[in-house]
Amino acid sequence: MSRTPDARARDTQTKQIQENITGVEKHFGDLCQLFAAYVRKTARLRDKADLLVKEINLYADTETPNLKCGLKNFADQLAKIQDYRQAEVERLEVKVIEPLKAYGNIVKTKREDLKQTQIARNREAKQMQQLEKMRQRNPSDRQIISQAESELQRATMDATRTTRQLEETIDDFEKQKIRDIKKILGEFVTVEMAFHAKSLEIYTTAYQHIQNVDEEGDLEVFRNSLHPPDYQSRLEIVRANSKLSLNRTGTSMSKSGTMQSRTSSRQRKRDDEEDEDEEEDDEDEDDLEEVTDDEH
Amino acid sequence: MSRTPDARARDTQTKQIQENITGVEKHFGDLCQLFAAYVRKTARLRDKADLLVKEINLYADTETPNLKCGLKNFADQLAKIQDYRQAEVERLEVKVIEPLKAYGNIVKTKREDLKQTQIARNREAKQMQQLEKMRQRNPSDRQIISQAESELQRATMDATRTTRQLEETIDDFEKQKIRDIKKILGEFVTVEMAFHAKSLEIYTTAYQHIQNVDEEGDLEVFRNSLHPPDYQSRLEIVRANSKLSLNRTGTSMSKSGTMQSRTSSRQRKRDDEEDEDEEEDDEDEDDLEEVTDDEH
């Protein structure tokens, strides 16, 4: 009965090692998949930001000079952040996903170690049964019993050796696992922090580019483009509203008619800004009345 | 002919306003959609990180005390970052997406303003044709001509008033647009920067939690759990490898046999770490030989 506690201990130990290996396989596998999903979503975010950069550039091309310049610079900074996001993605793949993925093979190796130990233990148990049989059948045949004893001795040696080997390998495995998970999560944080720090830096520049846009300068450009040089003399021209211009007006009307039909499909109700406009209108009418009075 | 340059200018202006409105509609619409896509991907990234937090907690529950505690604290920090990512998502929706979306209605209002101006101008042109007709058919009927003239005058007043009104509204629109895009992009940067700054701060704590995990303490716990109290006396027990234990060994064997069949489906070749193990094995065998020699 003296070997019983040891056999029990071995079983418990084997079960624990088995559970330990299975646990690492499961959790490192799940972590690997979830980090990979996180990295994939980061790459998708980068893709969307790249489209934003493209669109901001397209929009900038339609804008007045200062805003155009500000938008282009802003887009450049946003693009730079996506380059760092790409670096983040690549670094996470190398420093987090790959080491976690490697545990798939490491775990297989440990299972094989465990299996070798099991085989040696089974052989020992078989030899023990063998010896018992010999002793029962040929209790007096010293030679056969001695041979069985020496075979059991070899099997026990082998079982003990592989068990000790397994203990060492599992101890190393555990040590390495703790170090690796610390290293992997540490690398994750380091890569993420590098990205966040760079983003902060670049957004600071981006912010300045967009806030420094000179609105007044652009409004001047806009007004000049909208109001041709003769704009200021319009009222004088209205005053001279002569009969001679009828042919040209006909042409002008047909043109604006085309415009109108183009807009009509999109026409919608005006909102309540209308009230304010109304007040200004009254002043305008007064001005016009004076102008038209001159004609009479 | 004196009204011709003005009519041409009006057409050019109308076209420009039209293009301006269409451009803003298109680009603000596209920007809105792309920022919305960016926000959606950010939310997806938050989801994946949430799953990571969950898995790290599950894994922590299977680990030795120090690592368990480190992992739990790490997971808490990672969860905190996702709370800030959620705040980022919500703030981007309010400060970026909504204001851009609002331009859909603003643009509709401007189109309506443009349409009102077109209608007034067409009425004016029609009145001008009317007056010309009167003059040709009844050149001497002062009363009819005078009436047509006064109707034209009203139409001209109205066209001039709505045109000026449109110019003002478009000027305001342009001014507001530049301010809004500066504000919206500024808000985008501010929200993003707040998130990056918070992440940096929290990751710093997360890093410490994981790096401070005491490996040696955990290894001690692991070794104690794997090696029952009677472990150190194992070799002595092996020495006393008696015939009395055969029944218990039989039970032990059948148990380990079940284990083996569970592992066999996953068995793989061992890698080249084997060489190193081999050397250590020799030493073990020497030890064992001594132990078993004692028996004889």
Side-chain angles (χ1 to χ4, degrees):
Chain A
M1 292 293 281
S2 67
R3 212 181 156 269
T4 307
D6 188 46
R8 270 211 207 101
R10 269 192 185 176
D11 285 350
T12 308
Q13 194 193 47
T14 305
K15 212 170 168 179
Q16 269 185 317
I17 292 172
Q18 189 98 32
E19 279 170 4
N20 186 40
I21 291 173
T22 304
V24 172
E25 187 178 44
K26 182 190 160 23
H27 291 295
F28 276 54
D30 288 354
L31 283 173
C32 183
Q33 286 197 340
L34 290 169
F35 272 115
Y38 179 88
V39 170
R40 269 198 307 278
K41 290 297 167 198
T42 303
R44 293 297 85 74
L45 185 58
R46 174 212 57 208
D47 291 344
K48 292 299 173 192
D50 281 344
L51 291 177
L52 252 177
V53 167
K54 215 169 148 185
E55 168 54 27
I56 293 170
N57 273 312
L58 281 175
Y59 169 50
D61 286 333
T62 72
E63 270 299 348
T64 38
N66 293 334
L67 185 54
K68 175 179 179 164
C69 180
L71 287 169
K72 291 250 169 204
N73 285 329
F74 179 86
D76 285 350
Q77 300 305 309
L78 196 55
K80 226 187 208 176
I81 290 174
Q82 304 328 305
D83 292 343
Y84 281 104
R85 217 189 288 270
Q86 174 58 24
E88 178 199 2
V89 164
E90 285 167 13
R91 291 177 69 200
L92 288 179
E93 270 163 6
V94 174
K95 306 260 184 181
V96 177
I97 316 287
E98 286 308 323
L100 283 171
K101 208 182 271 173
Y103 262 77
N105 280 325
I106 294 172
V107 161
K108 277 170 197 161
T109 309
K110 300 309 150 194
R111 280 202 194 284
E112 184 60 24
D113 292 350
L114 185 62
K115 202 196 133 211
Q116 291 306 321
T117 309
Q118 295 288 90
I119 288 170
R121 285 179 188 169
N122 290 344
R123 207 183 296 124
E124 184 195 13
K126 221 173 177 176
Q127 283 303 326
M128 229 172 246
Q129 279 186 313
Q130 202 69 22
L131 175 60
E132 176 68 356
K133 245 187 235 163
M134 295 300 140
R135 279 180 177 143
Q136 281 174 346
R137 286 181 195 162
N138 318 294
S140 54
D141 191 340
R142 286 301 301 158
Q143 207 197 339
I144 282 179
I145 289 173
S146 169
Q147 199 190 328
E149 273 177 349
S150 106
E151 265 166 39
L152 172 61
Q153 195 178 306
R154 255 199 303 277
T156 301
M157 263 163 50
D158 199 48
T160 310
R161 181 177 60 82
T162 57
T163 296
R164 184 180 283 193
Q165 210 172 297
L166 178 70
E167 281 164 359
E168 275 166 12
T169 206
I170 288 300
D171 197 84
D172 286 347
F173 176 60
E174 183 70 12
K175 204 187 298 171
Q176 198 57 50
K177 183 197 70 182
I178 301 178
R179 279 188 195 154
D180 282 345
I181 195 69
K182 281 176 72 173
K183 189 168 192 303
I184 290 167
L185 294 182
E187 292 282 8
F188 173 74
V189 172
T190 306
V191 170
E192 291 291 277
M193 283 181 83
F195 172 68
H196 289 302
K198 268 291 164 195
S199 296
L200 262 183
E201 184 190 319
I202 298 168
Y203 271 132
T204 307
T205 310
Y207 190 82
Q208 285 156 359
H209 279 305
I210 206 71
Q211 292 311 307
N212 290 345
V213 168
D214 172 21
E215 300 168 36
E216 282 310 314
D218 271 17
L219 272 174
E220 217 45 59
V221 173
F222 175 77
R223 282 167 190 150
N224 287 338
S225 81
L226 209 60
H227 304 142
D230 63 343
Y231 169 67
Q232 292 311 323
S233 58
R234 172 98 56 91
L235 290 183
E236 281 77 359
I237 294 166
V238 170
R239 217 179 282 175
N241 199 346
S242 114
K243 306 100 205 175
L244 294 167
S245 68
L246 279 178
N247 290 341
R248 293 303 288 160
T249 309
T251 315
S252 153
M253 187 191 69
S254 79
K255 267 191 199 167
S256 56
T258 314
M259 292 255 181
Q260 201 198 342
S261 73
R262 226 199 289 157
T263 42
S264 60
S265 66
R266 300 193 188 241
Q267 64 182 259
R268 296 288 190 285
K269 271 187 199 163
R270 290 187 61 181
D271 62 22
D272 37 22
E273 283 172 29
E274 206 158 13
D275 290 348
E276 259 184 41
D277 290 343
E278 221 74 73
E279 283 179 46
E280 292 179 286
D281 295 346
D282 294 342
E283 288 177 47
D284 288 350
E285 270 186 80
D286 290 343
D287 285 345
L288 265 177
E289 226 120 37
E290 273 179 59
V291 171
T292 42
D293 277 347
D294 284 352
E295 256 195 329
H296 295 269
Chain B
M1 294 292 284
S2 67
R3 216 182 153 268
T4 306
D6 187 45
R8 270 210 207 101
R10 270 189 183 179
D11 285 349
T12 310
Q13 195 194 48
T14 305
K15 211 172 169 179
Q16 268 185 317
I17 292 171
Q18 187 98 34
E19 279 169 5
N20 186 40
I21 291 173
T22 304
V24 172
E25 187 178 46
K26 182 191 162 21
H27 290 295
F28 276 53
D30 287 354
L31 283 173
C32 183
Q33 286 198 340
L34 290 169
F35 272 115
Y38 179 88
V39 171
R40 270 198 307 277
K41 289 297 165 196
T42 303
R44 294 296 85 74
L45 185 58
R46 175 211 58 208
D47 291 344
K48 292 299 172 190
D50 281 343
L51 292 177
L52 252 175
V53 167
K54 217 170 151 187
E55 168 53 28
I56 292 169
N57 273 313
L58 281 176
Y59 169 51
D61 286 332
T62 72
E63 272 299 348
T64 39
N66 293 334
L67 185 54
K68 176 178 178 164
C69 179
L71 287 169
K72 290 251 169 203
N73 285 329
F74 180 86
D76 284 350
Q77 299 305 309
L78 196 55
K80 224 186 211 178
I81 290 175
Q82 304 328 306
D83 292 344
Y84 281 105
R85 215 189 289 269
Q86 175 57 23
E88 178 199 1
V89 163
E90 285 167 12
R91 291 176 67 199
L92 287 178
E93 270 162 5
V94 173
K95 306 261 184 179
V96 176
I97 316 287
E98 286 307 325
L100 283 171
K101 208 181 270 173
Y103 262 78
N105 280 326
I106 295 173
V107 161
K108 277 170 197 162
T109 309
K110 300 309 150 194
R111 281 202 193 283
E112 185 60 23
D113 292 349
L114 185 62
K115 202 196 134 211
Q116 291 306 323
T117 309
Q118 296 288 91
I119 289 169
R121 285 178 189 169
N122 290 345
R123 206 182 297 123
E124 184 196 14
K126 219 171 178 179
Q127 282 304 326
M128 230 173 245
Q129 279 187 312
Q130 202 69 23
L131 175 60
E132 175 69 354
K133 243 187 239 165
M134 296 299 139
R135 278 179 178 141
Q136 281 173 348
R137 288 183 196 162
N138 317 294
S140 54
D141 191 340
R142 283 303 300 158
Q143 205 196 342
I144 282 178
I145 289 173
S146 168
Q147 197 189 330
E149 271 176 353
S150 106
E151 265 166 35
L152 172 61
Q153 195 178 305
R154 253 199 303 280
T156 302
M157 262 164 50
D158 199 47
T160 310
R161 179 178 62 82
T162 57
T163 296
R164 183 181 283 196
Q165 210 172 300
L166 178 70
E167 280 164 2
E168 275 165 11
T169 206
I170 288 300
D171 197 84
D172 285 347
F173 176 59
E174 182 71 12
K175 204 186 299 171
Q176 199 56 49
K177 182 197 70 181
I178 301 178
R179 278 186 195 157
D180 283 345
I181 194 70
K182 281 176 72 171
K183 188 167 192 302
I184 290 167
L185 294 182
E187 292 282 9
F188 173 75
V189 172
T190 306
V191 171
E192 291 292 275
M193 283 180 82
F195 172 67
H196 288 302
K198 268 292 165 196
S199 296
L200 261 183
E201 185 188 319
I202 299 167
Y203 271 132
T204 308
T205 310
Y207 190 82
Q208 285 157 359
H209 279 306
I210 206 71
Q211 291 311 305
N212 290 345
V213 169
D214 172 21
E215 300 168 36
E216 282 310 316
D218 271 17
L219 273 174
E220 217 46 58
V221 173
F222 175 76
R223 282 167 191 152
N224 287 339
S225 81
L226 209 58
H227 303 141
D230 62 343
Y231 169 65
Q232 291 310 322
S233 58
R234 171 101 52 91
L235 291 184
E236 282 77 0
I237 294 166
V238 170
R239 220 180 279 176
N241 201 345
S242 117
K243 306 102 206 177
L244 294 166
S245 67
L246 280 175
N247 289 341
R248 294 301 290 163
T249 310
T251 316
S252 154
M253 189 189 69
S254 80
K255 267 192 199 165
S256 56
T258 315
M259 292 255 181
Q260 202 199 340
S261 74
R262 226 201 289 159
T263 43
S264 61
S265 66
R266 301 194 188 239
Q267 63 180 263
R268 295 289 188 286
K269 272 188 201 162
R270 291 187 62 184
D271 62 22
D272 37 23
E273 283 171 29
E274 205 158 11
D275 290 349
E276 261 185 37
D277 290 344
E278 220 76 70
E279 282 178 51
E280 292 180 285
D281 296 346
D282 294 341
E283 289 178 49
D284 287 351
E285 269 185 81
D286 290 344
D287 284 347
L288 265 177
E289 227 120 35
E290 274 179 61
V291 170
T292 41
D293 276 347
D294 284 351
E295 255 194 331
H296 295 273

